Every structure is written in C-alpha cells, then in structure tokens.
Amino acid sequence: MRILIVEDEIKLAKALKKILEKEGFAADFVTDGEEAEKRILLFRKEYDLIILDLMLPKKSGFEICQNIRNEGVYIPVLVLTARGSIEDKIEVLDSGADDYMVKPFSFEELLARVRAILRRPDEALPEKLKLGNLTLSPSTRQVFYNSHEIHLTLKEYSLLEYMMRHPNQVLNREQILDHVWDFNFDSFSNVIDVHIKNLRKKIRYGKNNPSLETIRGVGYRLRE
C-alpha cells in the first residue's frame, strides 16, 4: 500500500513517513498544495491513500480535495486539521474527504484510522484474503497456511497482500514498485527479485498452496 503525505511542516511529514514505513507502507511526502495536486492527478492510480493537511502554501487542502474529486480522483483522503469545530468538520467532509483528525493527534490513532480507511476499498473485499490454503488478515497483518502462521518481513507482507488482492494476474515490476515502494526506490536494483524469492520460499507449504510464478520478461503472478 502506498500513501502520499501532504504536509508543510517538514518535521511532521518526515515523522509520518517514518512511522508509516515502520508499519510496512510505502510513503512519499510533498510540502505545498500546488505540487500535491499535480502529483495526485499525475499518479492517481499509484496511491492508495492521501494524508492531507488543510493549511498549505500555494493551495489549501480544501481546494485540493475539491479539485481532485471534480477530476474523478477517488483516492481516500484523511485530512489533518487544527480546526476542530463542528462547522469545520462538516466542511472537511463535504469537500470530499473520507475522514479527519484534529491536531495534535497520536500516531497510534492515525495508524488505526489509516488501517480502517484502507479496509474500505472501492470494490468490497472480505476481511480476510484467501488463496488456496493461504489466508491473509489485513486487520492483524498476519498470514496463515491452514493454522500455521507464516512470519514475513514488512516488505514481504506488503508484496503478498498486493498480490493476493490481484490473484492470477501478471503484475509487472512497475506495478509492484508503484504500490509497495516509494518514489526514492532505485528501479534498477534487484531488491524486488530478492523479496519475491524469499516470499516464495516462505509460502511453499503442502498441497493446495498458491504458486508464486516468475513470468520471464514480464513480471510475477500469484496463481491459485
């Protein structure tokens, strides 16, 4: 899952990026409204969530939210605001936001809201993803083969979740990069191949287990 942070307080933006990456998300941040709107419109298919401050230089969070909705961009938006009145909250939600948090806030609550929003995709998905005897629970971030828990690194988990949300589809390197790594990732490195190799070993259990295939020259497929 890839998240865009729009926050002009650089210290807070870096802290949010760090805590999200610690939880296994890929995260980028921008610090002004105009750059944020351009990034969102250009990469509308790459982001799964936007964390949006309201008080930004060049263009406000209200304007960004309204403009991207008018352009048909329906990425979930979690607004950060210092304004906590009922009228302000109504204005935030009416502008097209999905949720809001009033500053100051706890990182624990922010992570809980992020997880809750990401469990509400455009197309309804079950609380647990299942492929063969492999089960993944987004709410607890656990993976089981029957009753046996498979312990994955954060990136391995993110890879598996993305692939289980797109079973039997061939996913190329660019798609995987767009959803699992941030913009600073070196696309010419072999890190994806290493993680795929390690993940393949860990999910290789008994009969009726999904097969993680390499499609030479194209990408990878998790096949039932």
Side-chain angles (χ1 to χ4, degrees):
M1 292 287 184
R2 190 173 190 169
I3 297 173
L4 177 64
I5 303 159
V6 185
E7 170 60 64
D8 64 326
E9 294 181 35
I10 295 180
K11 186 176 180 180
L12 176 56
K14 289 182 176 179
L16 289 171
K17 177 178 169 68
K18 184 176 180 180
I19 195 167
L20 288 167
E21 290 178 339
K22 188 176 179 181
E23 290 294 309
F25 299 105
D28 306 303
F29 73 85
V30 293
T31 56
D32 75 69
E34 285 186 358
E35 182 184 357
E37 187 171 314
K38 290 177 183 176
R39 173 76 69 90
I40 293 164
L41 294 176
L42 186 60
F43 298 102
R44 62 179 69 195
K45 294 184 178 180
E46 277 73 28
Y47 288 110
D48 301 287
L49 174 68
I50 301 164
I51 297 177
L52 178 66
D53 187 27
L54 287 186
M55 307 305 291
L56 296 164
K58 299 185 180 179
K59 187 170 287 190
S60 73
F62 284 116
E63 292 177 277
I64 293 169
C65 205
Q66 290 169 342
N67 291 344
I68 65 172
R69 295 307 190 224
N70 289 337
E71 291 292 328
V73 177
Y74 298 108
I75 304 168
V77 175
L78 171 59
V79 162
L80 306 180
T81 177
R83 298 158 56 178
S85 71
I86 295 297
E87 292 77 11
D88 290 330
K89 294 172 182 177
I90 291 171
E91 187 179 3
V92 165
L93 296 173
D94 284 347
S95 71
D98 296 86
D99 199 357
Y100 63 87
M101 292 190 68
V102 178
K103 296 180 178 180
F105 54 83
S106 73
F107 288 137
E108 290 80 7
E109 182 182 356
L110 180 132
L111 288 171
R113 288 177 182 264
V114 165
R115 290 191 294 266
I117 291 172
L118 291 176
R119 287 198 296 269
R120 306 194 307 255
D122 292 338
E123 296 180 7
L125 289 171
E127 289 186 12
K128 293 184 179 180
L129 304 177
K130 189 172 177 61
L131 201 63
N133 287 337
L134 194 66
T135 303
L136 181 147
S137 173
S139 59
T140 63
R141 302 179 76 82
Q142 290 177 294
V143 178
F144 291 90
Y145 179 81
N146 289 330
S147 60
H148 175 85
E149 184 173 2
I150 300 174
H151 298 283
L152 303 177
T153 66
L154 291 175
K155 281 301 181 194
E156 289 166 357
Y157 173 87
S158 297
L159 264 174
L160 182 61
E161 180 183 13
Y162 179 56
M163 299 187 86
M164 287 186 72
R165 290 187 185 276
H166 301 83
N168 303 309
Q169 298 179 32
V170 177
L171 303 172
N172 61 41
R173 291 176 61 87
E174 288 72 25
Q175 289 173 302
I176 294 172
L177 282 174
D178 287 343
H179 287 86
V180 182
W181 274 270
D182 65 25
F183 270 92
N184 296 317
F185 180 76
D186 180 4
S187 60
F188 293 101
S189 78
N190 69 338
V191 172
I192 292 179
D193 309 280
V194 171
H195 282 295
I196 289 285
K197 181 180 179 181
N198 292 338
L199 181 58
R200 182 182 286 125
K201 290 178 181 177
K202 291 184 179 182
I203 66 171
R204 191 176 288 165
Y205 277 88
K207 295 180 179 179
N208 196 29
N209 65 307
S211 173
L212 181 47
E213 302 174 331
T214 299
I215 310 301
R216 226 171 260 285
V218 182
Y220 304 94
R221 175 173 59 197
L222 187 63
R223 187 164 62 87
E224 190 167 5

